Amino acid sequence: MDADSDVALDILITNVVCVFRTRCHLNLRKIALEGANVIYKRDVGKVLMKLRKPRITATIWSSGKIICTGATSEEEAKFGARRLARSLQKLGFQVIFTDFKVVNVLAVCNMPFEIRLPEFTKNNRPHASYEPELHPAVCYRIKSLRATLQIFSTGSITVTGPNVKAVATAVEQVYPFVFESRKEIL
Amino acid sequence: MPGGGRCPDCGSTELVEDSHYSQNQLVCSDCGCVVTEGVLTTTFTDEGNLREVTYSRSTGENEQVSRSQQRGLCRVRDLCRVLQLPPTFEDTAVAYYQQAYQHSGIRAARLQKKEVLVGCCVLITCRQRNWPLTMGTICTLLYADLDVFSGTYMQMVKLLGLDVPSLCLVDLVKTYCSSFKLFEASPSVPAKYVEDKEKMLSRTLQLVELADETWLVTGRHPLPVITAATFLAWQSLRPSDRLTCSLARFCKLASVDLPYPASSRLQELLAVLLRLAEQLAWLQVLKLDKRSVVAHVGDLLQHRHMLVRKAFRDGTAEPDALDAREKELQGPGQGQGWGKEDRGDGSLDLLAGKRPASPALLLPPCMLKPPKRICPTPPVSTVTGDENISDSEIEQYLRTPQEVRDFQRAQAARQAATSVPNPP
């Protein structure tokens, strides 16, 4: 079958999660007092800080570990993380921007055809898992890329992976299998 | 008397091991000089030998069958008996339970999880032998939550590396339909509502098959679709008497629980039947609606394959062009690519990337409903991640000293207000 026809698939990245360390202890009370756009969760010991320009929410722990979520690309995530580190520097902490790593990327992709899920599961047995009583989509795991795809019968696919390249490769890898099980006119 | 030791003071070899309270000492029995003494405190490794050994490490507990495992195995057998499964199923389910129990994640799990594990083993056994059993039934029997059940089920399939086939729809229809109590007259079921089992079963199967082809089954829970199909089959076999009976009343008469989504599935099925009716010449003139189409379900089901094929195509396509296209699709080159450039004539407009709003197309229900929000296309960003950050950009994220003072004052005032109780 001709799965290599030049159909350009738009992969829309909806979320990028990254972590970095500041290598210094952070006084959460001071951040909560002197920072704007912060939420202090005293019971769990963390501060949530939201940036506007790259729309990012950062979770800050007193140990200096920070997790940033909400970016729409890896570069944006890095930019937002550096901005955050800079704000903390301005507050008076001896911040060093180290150990930056993109941890998780969530993307959405739309196939131009509907997919027969029971047939797809039967053809891709070990990787695909389909339980209609629990969830309407097929869960397809690619171990080598550490990526998980959720394939819906409408042709919409949600991919999560460790970085953007893995996500793109995962979609490329799954396309021929999904193409096989597409809805045909009889 | 230990050999080789000499007292450093008098040189005698008469050394005695003695203890001063709890401290061991080596003492010269002639002059009383303490040659060596033991340590008062013990190290961690010393104490490791003195500590009690836990039961789980001492008696080989992991090699034996524990009491909770025995209880679990008993429950597996009981559940198989309650469900009236063949005897071979019991042995397989018990084997799965024992296999699962060998993993430490299951062995150390809470009792709630172990109870649910019983149901998972029975479900997997039934699925592998094509015995139609739904998760809903098991959860009701075990009084378990579906979320807990689903988590344990997925964990078990992953741990044991099992290949579980999907639920067989045809068998489920047969079992579920047979449970409807409408096949004999009784005080609660009037004679006009009684129906022949074989006729109802065959019609329900045809309706479920139709629902499967038209996207009503994929991705959804199977039971509500089957309930709706059974109701429609029952109604259509004697429409004059049964059109007045509602879905809820039908389920009550048949003493079957009505699953919540069944009414929307029924509406979707009726909509599909109406669309098929538009293709039949002698029904087009009748101008049917959702109630009157029920009487013609028999006709529609008889010709359903041809009607579905026609309904999926664009209504304006000529028969000749359609035949030519069919031959092309079934040709030796297999299906031509579905890319935009492979579209020959306009009769297959639905191959276009985004759907046209043609009402003749049979699409999955979620695609027919308008999208709730239109996603704006994201602007192309030129961020590289390593740009310079100016001070002015950072200022907006910090409070000025005046703001800090105001904030502290406001916090103090709020604390004072909450601490003073309001007068009644």
Side-chain angles (χ1 to χ4, degrees):
Chain A
M1 65 220 72
D2 206 9
D4 303 321
S5 56
D6 303 332
V7 178
L9 285 172
D10 272 330
I11 304 178
L12 189 73
I13 301 177
T14 50
N15 193 20
V16 174
V17 178
C18 63
V19 297
F20 69 96
R21 295 195 112 97
T22 57
R23 294 262 178 249
C24 75
H25 182 268
L26 299 172
N27 186 347
L28 296 182
R29 280 205 67 218
K30 183 164 185 223
I31 300 176
L33 191 61
E34 291 176 26
N37 304 351
V38 292
I39 302 170
Y40 185 19
K41 295 204 174 212
R42 202 170 299 162
D43 40 340
V44 285
K46 62 186 182 190
V47 164
L48 289 175
M49 186 159 173
K50 297 194 194 230
L51 301 184
R52 257 177 258 121
K53 187 67 182 315
R55 200 173 275 272
I56 275 178
T57 305
T59 310
I60 305 169
W61 275 276
S62 54
S63 63
K65 182 156 181 190
I66 302 185
I67 296 185
C68 292
T69 61
T72 55
S73 74
E74 289 187 350
E75 294 83 21
E76 212 180 273
K78 189 161 187 199
F79 184 51
R82 282 177 59 233
R83 250 200 175 181
L84 193 69
R86 196 62 191 284
S87 333
L88 292 175
Q89 243 176 12
K90 279 265 159 151
L91 281 173
F93 300 105
Q94 305 292 328
V95 164
I96 309 168
F97 184 76
T98 56
D99 293 341
F100 174 82
K101 185 166 185 259
V102 168
V103 171
N104 193 23
V105 172
L106 175 74
V108 172
C109 179
N110 260 307
M111 299 284 147
F113 44 77
E114 293 101 22
I115 303 162
R116 292 185 190 283
L117 299 184
E119 194 186 306
F120 177 79
T121 326
K122 226 182 289 182
N123 296 339
N124 294 281
R125 242 320 136 62
H127 303 289
S129 140
Y130 176 46
E131 291 291 334
E133 295 174 81
L134 298 177
H135 190 57
V138 171
C139 180
Y140 189 94
R141 285 183 203 273
I142 304 180
K143 239 180 173 169
S144 54
L145 298 171
R146 284 179 295 135
T148 307
L149 298 105
Q150 299 227 335
I151 303 166
F152 291 84
S153 60
T154 57
S156 168
I157 299 185
T158 309
V159 197
T160 60
N163 51 51
V164 175
K165 194 152 166 291
V167 159
T169 318
V171 175
E172 266 175 40
Q173 270 188 20
V174 94
Y175 185 78
F177 303 122
V178 157
F179 188 76
E180 255 176 40
S181 319
R182 70 190 183 286
K183 170 83 176 177
E184 294 259 32
I185 295 181
L186 298 160
Chain B
M1 260 180 280
R6 275 189 169 275
C7 171
D9 266 347
C10 59
S12 128
T13 51
E14 301 284 326
L15 298 176
V16 178
E17 265 197 37
D18 197 3
S19 59
H20 178 67
Y21 297 104
S22 60
Q23 193 180 17
N24 293 332
Q25 289 173 340
L26 199 63
V27 186
C28 170
S29 52
D30 285 342
C31 66
C33 163
V34 176
V35 179
T36 58
E37 52 186 13
V39 182
L40 250 184
T41 55
T42 50
T43 60
F44 187 71
T45 38
D46 289 344
E47 282 187 7
N49 298 333
L50 299 172
R51 238 182 272 135
E52 318 168 331
V53 183
T54 51
Y55 177 72
S56 59
R57 283 152 77 186
S58 70
T59 56
E61 188 202 53
N62 293 338
E63 282 85 40
Q64 289 175 355
V65 176
S66 67
R67 230 173 298 155
S68 69
Q69 190 180 357
Q70 282 172 354
R71 230 187 344 253
L73 293 171
C74 231
R75 289 186 73 116
V76 169
R77 290 189 205 275
D78 290 342
L79 190 60
C80 290
R81 260 171 242 152
V82 164
L83 291 168
Q84 296 177 334
L85 302 175
T88 47
F89 285 40
E90 239 182 77
D91 301 326
T92 321
V94 160
Y96 277 139
Y97 193 85
Q98 282 171 331
Q99 238 182 322
Y101 219 84
Q102 281 167 6
H103 293 265
S104 57
I106 303 279
R107 203 167 40 236
R110 290 174 195 266
L111 279 180
Q112 185 194 32
K113 199 163 186 177
K114 286 175 179 163
E115 279 172 32
V116 167
L117 190 68
V118 166
C120 296
C121 295
V122 175
L123 179 71
I124 292 176
T125 314
C126 287
R127 282 275 192 96
Q128 288 184 332
R129 315 277 180 98
N130 281 326
W131 186 277
L133 185 64
T134 59
M135 293 187 186
T137 315
I138 296 194
C139 287
T140 325
L141 284 173
L142 293 177
Y143 304 107
D145 194 12
L146 189 63
D147 298 325
V148 179
F149 187 88
S150 69
T152 316
Y153 174 76
M154 303 307 276
Q155 188 188 7
M156 188 176 163
V157 170
K158 195 169 156 189
L159 271 180
L160 298 181
L162 295 169
D163 181 21
V164 186
S166 357
L167 195 56
C168 177
L169 210 57
V170 172
D171 291 334
L172 182 63
V173 170
K174 288 187 191 149
T175 321
Y176 188 56
C177 270
S178 319
S179 70
F180 280 73
K181 295 193 178 44
L182 287 169
F183 308 121
E184 336 175 290
S186 72
S188 53
V189 179
K192 59 180 179 174
Y193 287 168
V194 174
E195 190 48 70
D196 174 47
K197 189 167 167 176
E198 289 311 316
K199 272 201 259 175
M200 198 157 120
L201 205 59
S202 72
R203 193 162 272 203
T204 312
L205 274 172
Q206 289 174 345
L207 277 169
V208 170
E209 202 188 296
L210 177 66
D212 201 3
E213 276 174 37
T214 53
W215 296 107
L216 299 182
V217 171
T218 307
R220 273 119 164 239
H221 203 292
L223 219 58
V225 182
I226 302 176
T227 314
T230 315
F231 174 62
L232 208 50
W234 174 80
Q235 257 193 342
S236 66
L237 286 167
R238 214 157 135 179
S240 48
D241 295 321
R242 295 174 185 169
L243 264 181
T244 49
C245 182
S246 71
L247 179 60
R249 188 155 166 249
F250 169 74
C251 290
K252 211 156 145 198
L253 282 173
S255 32
V256 163
D257 284 331
L258 172 64
Y260 174 67
S263 32
S264 46
R265 296 297 159 266
L266 181 64
Q267 297 306 314
E268 285 168 5
L269 203 49
L270 285 169
V272 164
L273 286 170
L274 275 173
R275 290 274 295 290
L276 295 188
E278 283 168 19
Q279 309 286 333
L280 269 184
W282 64 91
L283 291 181
Q284 274 172 354
V285 293
L286 286 178
K287 296 222 181 357
L288 297 169
D289 66 0
K290 279 189 174 165
R291 284 178 72 82
S292 41
V293 76
V294 175
H296 303 279
V297 164
D299 278 345
L300 291 170
L301 287 178
Q302 206 177 352
H303 304 286
R304 66 183 182 281
H305 294 298
M306 194 255 315
L307 289 174
V308 167
R309 219 178 304 149
K310 272 183 93 176
F312 268 114
R313 295 209 173 110
D314 198 358
T316 57
E318 294 167 76
D320 290 21
L322 282 175
D323 287 342
R325 197 74 193 165
E326 263 186 45
K327 288 202 194 97
E328 202 186 334
L329 281 174
Q330 290 159 16
Q334 295 211 346
Q336 292 297 312
W338 289 71
K340 294 184 187 177
E341 66 269 21
D342 280 330
R343 243 182 318 126
D345 46 314
S347 66
L348 287 166
D349 280 349
L350 54 89
L351 292 179
K354 291 300 147 206
R355 327 277 160 192
S358 162
L361 289 174
L362 267 184
L363 287 171
C366 57
M367 300 198 73
L368 292 171
K369 290 183 207 153
K372 291 178 195 154
R373 284 189 290 263
I374 313 215
C375 278
T377 50
V380 176
S381 80
T382 50
V383 177
T384 59
D386 294 315
E387 297 126 327
N388 282 330
I389 304 172
S390 66
D391 277 358
S392 57
E393 286 179 346
I394 299 303
E395 291 299 327
Q396 58 181 302
Y397 293 115
L398 303 174
R399 290 190 174 130
T400 60
Q402 176 62 31
E403 282 177 347
V404 172
R405 280 195 292 271
D406 290 339
F407 179 68
Q408 279 176 320
R409 221 177 297 147
Q411 257 197 336
R414 193 177 62 116
Q415 292 242 340
T418 49
S419 60
V420 171
N422 283 329

